[in-house]
Amino acid sequence: MNISMDQLKDLREKTGAGIVDCKKALEESKGDMEEAVKILRTKGLATAAKKSGRTAKEGLIGSYIHHNGKIGVMVEIRCESDFVAKTPQFLELAKDLSMQIAAMAPRFVKVEDVPAEVIEQEKLIYREQLKDEKKPAPVIEKIVEGKVNKFFEDSVLMEQVFVKDNTRKVKDLLGATVAALAENIQIHRFIRYQVGEE
Amino acid sequence: MNISMDQLKDLREKTGAGIVDCKKALEESKGDMEEAVKILRTKGLATAAKKSGRTAKEGLIGSYIHHNGKIGVMVEIRCESDFVAKTPQFLELAKDLSMQIAAMAPRFVKVEDVPAEVIEQEKLIYREQLKDEKKPAPVIEKIVEGKVNKFFEDSVLMEQVFVKDNTRKVKDLLGATVAALAENIQIHRFIRYQVGEE
């Protein structure tokens, strides 16, 4: 059984167990990570009940609470080094993105995150709206495509117009920060709470 | 077709469409709420793409960001009136709960929120741990039950010991606030971000 260093490292991060125990567990589980976690837990060598925070990824949690306390946002922004995570530019990016999300309520970080079913459902509705317009099919499809792009501009954070500077999109803001700090920077996830919404 | 007032109200909150249009849509969808939303959207009478914030529920979003910016928490606490949501006791509850969640990383609000599969999985692991102990089955089950309770005390916010006063549980803190403010107060949801955790 060949256990890779990556698997070992991953299991160690997930469980906090020793490297020898991790190796044994992975051999026993034939490389199955989830099974290996269970084996370590069964042996009392790991507590997987809580998500482990032991990873090397750097970054920052940005947040914004509206003054009335009814809207709140958190966003996790990742970078490569803690040095960059502590720069004023990175802090400002976190603040700007939090306010953007609070104001514009996006649903996804980037276009690739929008599930295909969601796009299909949108298209269905647009076509239905257009069906009495007696336009040729290619024209209809062109309009539908335009509406899908509009949908992205509304619902996808990276495609939204930046509220603090409406000549740029959020992805341009991110691009500028990446260029300035010379590190890979990613908007990893965000969440927006509004009192009473669900 | 009998459409209830509750359905009408619900659809109206979801879509912002007029009451007559909501009634028609529900009749057309034979009471199917999701279908009725689609009908209203198709007719251009609603935009359901964003979650609607139009509800009467009151409350507050509490939050806490750890000083290093690597851990963040949001919690939505609900009450009945905006008056109560603005009291110092309610604000303090929001603050205390946010810090509790940051420090103790619960996974669920209350015991009823823990999925049955999760409890079964825990029991399986506990029984496996105990299988060499040669104890009678009822004793084993007693121990397993104790371990499940311990699991709840670790993972369920309401069952956790309150970090600011370890003579009380979080549910006692909540109960005291309910008694003081004489309103139904609920921890509706929470989320905890830790940089790099997933």
Side-chain angles (χ1 to χ4, degrees), chain A residues 38 41-44 48-65 68-78 82 85-86 103-107 121-122 125-126 128-129 151 154-155 160 188-198, chain B residues 38 41-44 48-65 68-78 82 85-86 103-107 121-122 125-126 128-129 151 154-155 160 188-198:
Chain A
K38 281 184 200 162
R41 287 199 64 203
T42 303
K43 290 182 178 163
K50 286 184 189 178
K51 283 175 196 158
S52 166
R54 296 187 53 172
T55 72
K57 291 156 201 150
E58 294 299 339
L60 204 61
I61 310 290
S63 84
Y64 171 79
I65 302 285
N68 64 3
K70 306 282 185 192
I71 296 172
V73 164
M74 278 202 308
V75 57
E76 178 179 350
I77 314 173
R78 294 257 180 101
D82 196 42
K86 290 196 167 102
M104 303 308 291
R107 296 164 63 200
Q121 180 60 39
E122 289 299 314
I125 287 171
Y126 304 148
E128 190 66 24
Q129 286 171 343
F151 171 75
D154 282 342
S155 335
Q160 286 183 342
H188 185 63
R189 51 179 172 165
F190 69 82
I191 188 147
R192 184 182 186 276
Y193 274 7
Q194 185 160 350
V195 168
E197 82 181 343
E198 66 176 36
Chain B
K38 282 184 199 163
R41 287 199 62 201
T42 302
K43 292 184 177 161
K50 287 184 187 175
K51 282 175 199 160
S52 166
R54 295 188 53 174
T55 71
K57 291 155 201 152
E58 295 299 339
L60 205 62
I61 310 290
S63 85
Y64 172 79
I65 303 285
N68 64 2
K70 307 282 186 193
I71 296 172
V73 164
M74 279 204 306
V75 58
E76 178 179 351
I77 315 173
R78 293 255 181 103
D82 196 43
K86 289 193 168 105
M104 303 308 291
R107 296 164 64 200
Q121 180 61 39
E122 289 299 313
I125 287 171
Y126 304 148
E128 190 65 25
Q129 286 171 343
F151 171 74
D154 282 342
S155 334
Q160 286 183 342
H188 185 63
R189 51 180 172 166
F190 70 82
I191 187 147
R192 183 181 186 276
Y193 275 7
Q194 185 159 350
V195 168
E197 83 182 342
E198 64 178 37

Side-chain angles (χ1 to χ4, degrees), chain A residues 62-164:
Chain A
S63 84
Y64 171 79
I65 302 285
H66 197 57
H67 62 85
N68 64 3
K70 306 282 185 192
I71 296 172
V73 164
M74 278 202 308
V75 57
E76 178 179 350
I77 314 173
R78 294 257 180 101
C79 57
E80 295 169 52
S81 71
D82 196 42
F83 175 78
V84 158
K86 290 196 167 102
T87 56
Q89 293 101 311
F90 199 78
L91 287 165
E92 199 185 332
L93 178 68
K95 207 176 133 214
D96 284 344
L97 289 175
S98 302
M99 291 201 59
Q100 174 82 24
I101 295 160
M104 303 308 291
R107 296 164 63 200
F108 310 98
V109 173
K110 48 192 191 299
V111 169
E112 302 90 84
D113 297 339
V114 184
E117 313 87 75
V118 170
I119 300 174
E120 274 319 302
Q121 180 60 39
E122 289 299 314
K123 284 185 177 172
L124 222 72
I125 287 171
Y126 304 148
R127 286 198 195 102
E128 190 66 24
Q129 286 171 343
L130 292 164
K131 74 163 191 265
D132 297 331
E133 295 222 358
K134 296 184 177 57
K135 287 196 170 84
V139 175
I140 296 274
E141 281 314 297
K142 202 88 190 168
I143 299 173
V144 166
E145 208 177 296
K147 282 176 178 263
V148 169
N149 283 332
K150 182 77 183 58
F151 171 75
F152 288 155
E153 281 169 26
D154 282 342
S155 335
V156 176
L157 177 57
M158 292 285 260
E159 305 300 322
Q160 286 183 342
V161 169
F162 180 31
V163 286
K164 267 177 69 181

